Amino acid sequence: MELSFTKMQGCANDYIYLDCRTAGVPENIAALSEKLSRRHFSIGADGIICICAPRTAGADAMMRIFNADGSEGRMCGNGIRCVAEWLYTHGVQKEQLAIDTLSGLKTVTRRGEGLWQVEMGAYSTLPADLPAVNMGGAPLVDVPLEVDDNLWRVTCINVGNPHCVTVVPDVDALRLEEIGPAFEHHANFPERINTEFVQVVDATHLKMRVWERGSGETWACGTGTCATVAAMTELGICPAGEDVHVQLRGGELTIRVLPGNELRMTGAAETVCEGTAEV
C-alpha cells in the first residue's frame, strides 16, 4: 500500500506528517512510526504526526503525535507549528488557527513566511501534574535528584507533557546518549520524562540540548524549550515578560513567560519534501 506523506521540520525537529482528516489515523500507526522513523533505513524522523479532524467546535484540525518508538505523545511545540504551516499551505489560509491536541486547544498565529507563534498554555511545577513520585508535594524547583549515583539539581515542569530541567556549565561536553536514558526511565517519573540540559549565556540567551522520551536526543524540542525558560524564570535567572532566545542544535526558538505562567513560543516551520512510501 502506498502512503502519502509530507516531511516537515521546525528547528530540525523533523516529523512525517499524514493527512488523516478524512480516513482517520491508521490502525497500525505505532508500528508505522517505528518503521518509517528509522534513519538510514526509511524516511527517517523523530516520529509521525497525524493531522486529524478537530474535536472542538470551530477548531481547524487535531494533532496526534507518535514518537519514533511508537508511543503517543501529548504535545509537540515544533510539531504544532508545522501542522499550522501544513494547513495554511493546503487550503486553510487563516492567519490564526485553532488546533486540538491531547493537551488542549492551542492557538497558532502566523507572524510571517513560515513563522508561527503558539500560545502554549500555563505551566506547572507541582509533582502531581507531571506526574512525579517520591519527591514530596511542594513545587519541584531546584530540588535534588540522584541519577546513576550522581546528584543533580533539577526543576520539573509540566507544559502539557513532563520535563526535567537542569543547568550545566557546557552542554556540548555532555555525553547525552549515556545519561539521557537514566533520566527518562528514572523511577520518580512513572510516565517517563523529557530532560533538558541548559547552559546559561546571559539572562535572555540560553543553549540547550534535549533527551526526549521515546525518541532519544533530538535537535530541538518546542515544549522542552518552553519548559527550560519556565524553569529559568522560576530560578530567577531569566526575566518574565521578556523574550528569551534559546539556541538548540537545530536552530533558535523564542519563548516568553506571560502573566499567569502562560507561555508563548515563536519559531519557524518548513516543508522538507512530499512523497509516498510503500508500507
Side-chain angles (χ1 to χ4, degrees), residues 45-143:
D46 292 326
I48 288 177
I49 288 181
C50 296
I51 302 168
C52 306
R55 289 183 179 175
T56 303
D60 298 290
M62 179 172 184
M63 174 178 77
R64 289 184 64 187
I65 309 125
F66 296 89
N67 298 314
D69 68 351
S71 61
E72 185 168 8
R74 297 185 61 82
M75 177 59 186
C76 176
N78 291 319
I80 199 169
R81 296 197 317 276
C82 289
V83 170
E85 178 71 7
W86 189 94
L87 290 168
Y88 189 85
T89 57
H90 287 77
V92 190
Q93 292 195 336
K94 299 163 63 175
E95 296 300 304
Q96 190 172 86
L97 296 163
I99 300 173
D100 280 319
T101 76
L102 293 183
S103 293
L105 186 69
K106 308 296 180 185
T107 301
V108 190
T109 305
R110 191 171 185 262
R111 294 302 186 194
E113 188 70 28
L115 186 68
W116 294 90
Q117 187 175 82
V118 188
E119 305 302 324
M120 295 288 287
Y123 70 84
S124 171
T125 59
L126 294 176
D129 292 333
L130 277 130
V133 298
N134 305 319
M135 300 180 77
L140 297 176
V141 178
D142 192 26
V143 297

Side-chain angles (χ1 to χ4, degrees), residues 24-214:
V25 174
E27 289 185 7
N28 62 336
I29 187 63
L32 271 180
S33 192
E34 286 189 84
K35 177 182 178 181
L36 298 182
S37 297
R38 294 189 308 156
R39 301 190 187 276
H40 310 296
F41 295 98
S42 189
I43 299 168
D46 292 326
I48 288 177
I49 288 181
C50 296
I51 302 168
C52 306
R55 289 183 179 175
T56 303
D60 298 290
M62 179 172 184
M63 174 178 77
R64 289 184 64 187
I65 309 125
F66 296 89
N67 298 314
D69 68 351
S71 61
E72 185 168 8
R74 297 185 61 82
M75 177 59 186
C76 176
N78 291 319
I80 199 169
R81 296 197 317 276
C82 289
V83 170
E85 178 71 7
W86 189 94
L87 290 168
Y88 189 85
T89 57
H90 287 77
V92 190
Q93 292 195 336
K94 299 163 63 175
E95 296 300 304
Q96 190 172 86
L97 296 163
I99 300 173
D100 280 319
T101 76
L102 293 183
S103 293
L105 186 69
K106 308 296 180 185
T107 301
V108 190
T109 305
R110 191 171 185 262
R111 294 302 186 194
E113 188 70 28
L115 186 68
W116 294 90
Q117 187 175 82
V118 188
E119 305 302 324
M120 295 288 287
Y123 70 84
S124 171
T125 59
L126 294 176
D129 292 333
L130 277 130
V133 298
N134 305 319
M135 300 180 77
L140 297 176
V141 178
D142 192 26
V143 297
L145 182 71
E146 187 174 327
V147 183
D148 281 352
D149 298 323
N150 292 310
L151 193 64
W152 300 74
R153 303 296 302 188
V154 303
T155 298
C156 297
I157 305 277
N158 184 290
V159 290
N161 56 5
H163 294 265
C164 177
V165 181
T166 186
V167 178
V168 297
D170 183 359
V171 291
D172 295 322
L174 291 174
R175 297 178 67 88
L176 212 56
E177 69 281 359
E178 295 179 3
I179 59 179
F183 276 88
E184 177 183 355
H185 297 282
H186 196 286
N188 286 9
F189 308 115
E191 295 181 10
R192 296 186 294 169
I193 198 83
N194 304 286
T195 309
E196 286 74 37
F197 301 86
V198 189
Q199 178 182 336
V200 179
V201 179
D202 59 41
T204 57
H205 293 84
L206 307 170
K207 286 181 68 177
M208 188 192 94
R209 289 174 68 187
V210 56
W211 183 271
E212 291 196 56
R213 61 175 180 177

